[in-house]
Amino acid sequence: MGHPFPIREIARQAGLSEATVDRVLNGRGGVRESTAREVRQAIADLDRQRTQVRLVGRTFMVDIVMQAPERFTTAIRAALEAELPSLRPAVLRSRFHFRETGPAGELVRILDRIARRGSQGVILKAPDVPEVTAAVGRLEAAGVPVVTLVTDLPASARLAYVGIDDRAAGATAAYLMGQWLGERPGNILTSLSSGFFRNEEEREMGFRSAMRARHPERTLVEIAEGQGLDATQYDLVRAALERDPGIRAVYSIGGGNIATLRAFDDLGRECEVFVAHDLDHDNTRLLREHRLSAVLHHDLRQDVREACHTVMRAHDALPPAGPTLPSAIQVVTPYNMPPQAAV
């Protein structure tokens, strides 16, 4: 396992003891495979962040904890690593804890482990459920500031929320949907990855409220719990289309858009208007192919930078600032895609 990093650096990155890392690196046995994977991941993360490791400055070890599809966590990792130079002379090192789905108890175990071993901060995307809220309280009690990213935990002890105004985003989607459908008949499929994410719930409420006010004749058909994953999303969408021949448009709140379009194609149905969220790899390609009408996007690099600055302010490394304002909502079409859009 060749690498240029001292054992103490790998141990800190992995959150393990130096003795454990030494056993893994030298193949001495007595270590679980999951622990060996953590060491390998720590080396990979250090290699990706090696321009930061050699800088001289105050170091912040931050844990990024997220439940989201791989396409989104990949975008978050890329945004964070792109922003590292802007944080100089401070050095920000990150440990990533990503998973696509699973019970809340797994997230709680990750957060409690971080509280025990210590961290300068946690940037968190998690479902809004009581056990996660309680774990955030334990982190705060342990002196670890928590910043929620993209989706909030408003009843928790989190320090700040960084992201868009999701109700406004949902209302924006309704406005676009109404304009583009015009007088054509058709029902609208709204798709959530999970009802436990606050951002999706807020988007759905904003969308439903604006549609009720402006287009009360439209029927909204809701599906949920596809987790934004293509395998589960396809079955949910196909079943909804088979039940309702009037569905002509989609507001995708939680992703899985390749699978959604495949379900339309397989049934020989046309999706006349499709509004989605986030310029990840899938949505960028679909937008370029004109399979999506618009994507409601926000600058992930700006959001990640603000989350890191919030953690640094909690340690008095930056001057105090006012309340964190919502991120700007960008309406992206095939004709105004930002240059840095995923390829």
Side-chain angles (χ1 to χ4, degrees):
M1 198 182 295
H3 60 85
F5 308 108
I7 286 178
R8 65 178 180 278
E9 289 288 345
I10 300 170
R12 186 178 186 200
Q13 182 73 27
L16 300 169
S17 70
E18 293 184 24
T20 297
V21 172
D22 182 71
R23 285 200 301 274
V24 172
L25 295 180
N26 292 287
R28 294 198 178 97
V31 179
R32 292 191 299 270
E33 175 56 29
S34 60
T35 302
R37 283 198 302 270
E38 291 179 356
V39 172
R40 292 193 292 269
Q41 184 61 55
I43 293 171
D45 289 342
L46 283 170
D47 191 57
R48 293 169 67 96
Q49 301 171 41
R50 66 165 62 209
T51 58
Q52 286 277 299
V53 171
R54 294 183 177 88
L55 292 176
V56 176
R58 186 168 179 183
T59 298
F60 296 88
M61 180 63 79
V62 176
D63 289 89
I64 319 297
V65 183
M66 294 197 163
Q67 178 173 314
E70 184 272 339
R71 62 180 179 272
F72 185 78
T73 55
T74 296
I76 289 291
R77 184 193 289 266
L80 176 61
E81 291 174 351
E83 283 301 307
L84 291 179
S86 73
L87 303 176
R88 296 173 181 170
V91 178
L92 188 137
R93 297 257 304 282
S94 48
R95 294 183 289 232
F96 298 98
H97 314 269
F98 294 157
R99 63 177 206 158
E100 290 196 307
T101 187
E106 292 181 7
L107 273 177
V108 169
R109 282 191 288 275
I110 292 170
L111 297 175
D112 284 343
R113 180 183 175 190
I114 293 169
R116 288 193 299 271
R117 77 182 179 198
S119 176
Q120 271 72 56
V122 170
I123 298 175
L124 177 64
K125 178 185 182 295
D128 185 11
V129 295
E131 49 265 56
V132 172
T133 295
V136 171
R138 292 190 289 274
L139 280 163
E140 191 276 336
V144 179
V146 177
V147 178
T148 52
L149 183 69
V150 179
T151 185
D152 198 12
L153 301 171
S156 73
R158 57 95 170 122
L159 185 61
Y161 161 68
V162 176
I164 61 174
D165 179 335
D166 286 294
R167 286 207 185 207
T172 300
Y175 174 79
L176 296 172
M177 188 73 70
Q179 293 293 306
W180 285 333
L181 280 176
E183 299 301 319
R184 289 175 291 173
N187 300 335
I188 301 169
L189 182 70
T190 63
S191 170
L192 294 83
S193 73
S194 173
F196 293 106
F197 285 103
R198 176 58 66 109
N199 65 330
E200 296 191 19
E201 180 185 34
E202 295 280 344
R203 292 172 187 176
E204 194 275 337
M205 287 190 290
F207 183 81
R208 188 175 293 275
S209 176
M211 289 299 298
R212 187 184 302 116
R214 297 177 62 88
H215 306 283
E217 75 283 0
R218 298 281 182 194
T219 297
L220 305 185
V221 180
E222 179 181 316
I223 60 173
E225 304 309 319
Q227 305 302 323
L229 304 177
D230 287 342
T232 46
Q233 182 73 3
Y234 177 85
D235 292 337
L236 290 170
V237 174
R238 181 165 182 141
L241 293 176
E242 290 173 340
R243 288 193 304 268
D244 189 336
I247 295 173
R248 295 287 183 272
V250 173
Y251 174 38
S252 175
I253 299 170
N257 300 325
I258 289 176
T260 296
L261 287 166
R262 181 159 54 88
F264 272 86
D265 291 344
D266 287 353
L267 293 174
R269 300 269 289 274
E270 181 182 2
C271 183
E272 297 179 8
V273 181
F274 198 136
V275 179
H277 281 269
D278 300 321
L279 276 179
D280 56 35
H281 288 280
D282 287 356
N283 287 345
T284 296
R285 178 169 66 82
L286 293 173
L287 197 58
R288 286 188 173 130
E289 295 172 354
H290 292 244
R291 302 297 309 277
L292 301 180
S293 307
V295 171
L296 301 181
H297 182 62
H298 51 108
D299 188 339
L300 285 180
R301 287 184 57 172
Q302 177 182 321
D303 287 352
V304 167
R305 181 170 64 250
E306 178 59 30
C308 292
H309 283 170
T310 301
V311 169
M312 293 164 70
R313 290 189 194 101
H315 295 281
D316 298 321
L318 287 176
T324 302
L325 299 177
S327 306
I329 302 168
Q330 306 171 22
V331 179
V332 182
T333 72
Y335 302 101
N336 70 330
M337 296 179 67
Q340 70 273 23
V343 294

